[in-house]
Amino acid sequence: MKCSVLYIALFISVNLLAQSPVLYFRNLTTGNGLSHNKVNCILQDQRGFLWVGTNDGLNRYDGNQFQVFRHEPSDTSTISGNIITDLLEDTKGVLWIATADGGLSRYDFKLAPEKQFHQYKHSVSDTNSIPGNIINALVEDTQGKLWLATSGNGILRFDKASEKFSEPVWRKSRTCLDLCSDAKGIIWAGGQGGGLIKIDPVSLRFEEDIRYRDVYAKLPHMTVAAVFNDNHNNIWMGSWDKVVYQISAVSQKEEVFKQSTKSFSFSSDDPLSFAEDNKKFIWIGGKYNGLHLYDPLTKQFFNYRHDAAREGTLADNQVNCVFIDRSGIVWIGTNRGISINDPTQQQFVQTFLPSSSSNQILYDFVTDEAGRLMIGCTDGW
């Protein structure tokens, strides 16, 4: 084929067949004002602010700059800890902040500045205080109560009205890593060394597989690190056995996605987070291999990783959280900052073709029966 060294811009759609959708990422780091590059959680509040939980403080992002909130040991009007693990905005617009070093914090912007943050930390002298300061995840039930996944103190329930903590469900496994609720209000909890359990927050009855009471048993998803309920009420699980699990809302059967010799299978990884976009694609953050995008129509997985030699790739290959805001922009928290993908912005792939002469003109594009791209130019195809 004879064509000059020409710049060809090809818009890439997520509906292309037999190849991965091309995703372009813009990155935000401490160089942009972020308090720390390890990002654990992201949330957009009712006012439109983006909240980012890091390993050194809570960040509020207005689209231009970050405002950082940190714990000050001598000031009880500050946030309770600096390692932010999860964020939840309740039905009243109050922000609840889980930390790994300071228990729980409440933030209410409607109050006077000195009262906006309220700390719930463990105190040896206060039997009503939170039992421990390591919280991994939060979820709100249909009654407005908070449920907390903790390390060392099981699954806690917090009554906002009485400001009291309780442990209505006691299990041998004392570490819970993630929580989610389904369309019926049932809470799904993933734990370390104890598999998965389902809790009715009204009756406080719970279901578990008794096989997982033996923490030494060789069972699938013995440790569930992430749980997620999609728009079809399917439950997705990420565990420490390098596969993805989906429990069907219709059949209640469990489907396993793992690496295989087939093209576009799941790339062997430990899933840490899930999200779903408006096209029903499932976004999965991996611990080792970056981002995994699942197309439910074709049942194909596409993998995206950091590449220092290329512009527009992920900031890092450990993806701790994936959040999709109300406008459809995808925010990805990694160990090296935030990666942002805006599907409304057309992204292009640059391709330079071999040349034998200059000043060539491109006329048309077409694919042949083998799926090869044919480019019509002055010197032919």
Side-chain angles (χ1 to χ4, degrees):
M1 178 171 56
K2 297 180 180 181
C3 283
S4 60
V5 180
L6 296 173
Y7 169 94
I8 300 175
L10 300 177
F11 173 62
I12 304 299
S13 165
V14 295
N15 294 318
L16 287 178
L17 299 177
Q19 59 182 331
S20 299
V22 174
L23 300 182
Y24 182 91
F25 300 96
R26 175 170 62 92
N27 298 322
L28 295 176
T29 66
T30 53
N32 303 102
L34 190 66
S35 65
H36 194 277
N37 278 335
K38 189 174 188 301
V39 175
N40 304 312
C41 50
I42 301 173
L43 175 76
Q44 185 180 35
D45 68 18
Q46 296 175 11
R47 297 181 293 166
F49 287 114
L50 203 76
W51 295 84
V52 181
T54 75
N55 262 25
D56 184 23
L58 177 66
N59 299 249
R60 187 176 69 189
Y61 186 58
D62 62 7
N64 294 306
Q65 59 185 2
F66 291 96
Q67 181 176 354
V68 180
F69 302 91
R70 286 191 175 93
H71 171 66
E72 298 293 339
S74 59
D75 188 353
T76 57
S77 68
T78 63
I79 195 169
S80 62
N82 283 327
I83 304 176
I84 316 300
T85 54
D86 200 13
L87 298 165
L88 181 148
E89 186 181 31
D90 67 19
T91 53
K92 296 182 179 179
V94 175
L95 186 67
W96 296 89
I97 306 141
T99 78
D101 61 340
L104 181 70
S105 286
R106 182 191 70 203
Y107 174 78
D108 190 345
F109 72 91
K110 298 182 291 294
L111 301 178
E114 67 275 8
K115 296 182 180 180
Q116 289 180 345
F117 282 105
H118 184 81
Q119 301 179 0
Y120 299 92
K121 301 180 69 172
H122 175 65
S123 174
V124 177
S125 60
D126 184 0
T127 56
N128 290 322
S129 68
I130 189 170
N133 286 327
I134 305 176
I135 306 174
N136 301 313
L138 302 170
V139 73
E140 185 178 23
D141 67 22
T142 54
Q143 298 174 305
K145 293 182 174 62
L146 292 184
W147 290 74
L148 289 63
T150 79
S151 289
N153 292 282
I155 303 169
L156 303 177
R157 184 176 67 167
F158 177 66
D159 189 318
K160 302 174 195 174
S162 64
E163 296 192 320
K164 290 185 178 180
F165 295 88
S166 62
E167 187 180 356
V169 177
W170 196 94
R171 302 181 74 213
K172 185 175 181 180
S173 174
R174 306 304 294 153
T175 294
C176 181
L177 298 174
D178 202 13
L179 301 166
C180 77
S181 60
D182 63 21
K184 296 180 180 179
I186 300 300
I187 294 173
W188 296 67
Q192 182 175 338
L196 185 74
I197 67 169
K198 296 189 291 183
I199 306 167
D200 185 331
V202 179
S203 67
L204 300 183
R205 295 177 181 173
F206 67 96
E207 299 178 21
E208 66 176 336
D209 188 332
I210 60 174
R211 296 178 301 165
Y212 288 90
R213 293 178 183 176
D214 179 5
V215 297
Y216 298 104
K218 293 183 178 180
L219 298 169
H221 51 75
M222 174 61 78
T223 293
V224 177
V227 287
F228 175 73
N229 180 43
D230 69 21
N231 287 325
H232 293 291
N233 212 34
N234 303 309
I235 299 295
W236 293 79
M237 293 188 295
S239 70
W240 291 356
D241 45 10
K242 297 191 176 349
V243 298
V244 173
Y245 300 91
Q246 182 203 62
I247 300 176
S248 169
V250 178
S251 67
Q252 292 300 305
K253 292 183 178 180
E254 186 176 278
E255 185 172 4
V256 181
F257 300 97
K258 59 184 178 181
Q259 190 171 38
S260 70
T261 56
K262 294 182 179 180
S263 300
F264 306 110
S265 65
F266 178 69
S267 177
S268 180
D269 206 349
D270 292 344
L272 298 177
S273 60
F274 296 89
E276 183 180 12
D277 64 23
N278 56 13
K279 294 181 180 178
K280 311 305 179 186
F281 280 76
I282 303 297
W283 298 65
I284 305 169
K287 187 175 183 179
Y288 305 105
N289 296 329
L291 177 71
H292 310 268
L293 185 62
Y294 175 70
D295 182 348
L297 293 179
T298 63
K299 291 195 172 185
Q300 292 180 330
F301 286 88
F302 309 106
N303 183 225
Y304 303 89
R305 306 189 189 191
H306 169 70
D307 185 346
R310 291 175 53 217
E311 182 184 357
T313 66
L314 279 177
D316 187 61
N317 282 330
Q318 178 165 324
V319 176
N320 304 309
C321 63
V322 182
F323 178 78
I324 302 175
D325 69 20
R326 290 191 289 274
S327 65
I329 295 175
V330 184
W331 302 77
I332 300 167
T334 78
N335 277 7
R336 294 182 180 178
I338 303 170
S339 292
I340 306 166
N341 173 257
D342 186 348
T344 64
Q345 295 180 353
Q346 294 183 354
Q347 301 300 339
F348 297 88
V349 176
Q350 297 180 9
T351 303
F352 295 87
L353 302 179
S355 170
S356 61
S357 60
S358 60
N359 300 319
Q360 296 298 316
I361 300 175
L362 302 184
Y363 293 114
D364 201 2
F365 299 92
V366 67
T367 55
D368 64 14
E369 293 180 355
R372 294 172 297 187
L373 179 65
M374 307 294 291
I375 302 171
C377 63
T378 306
D379 288 341
W381 291 96

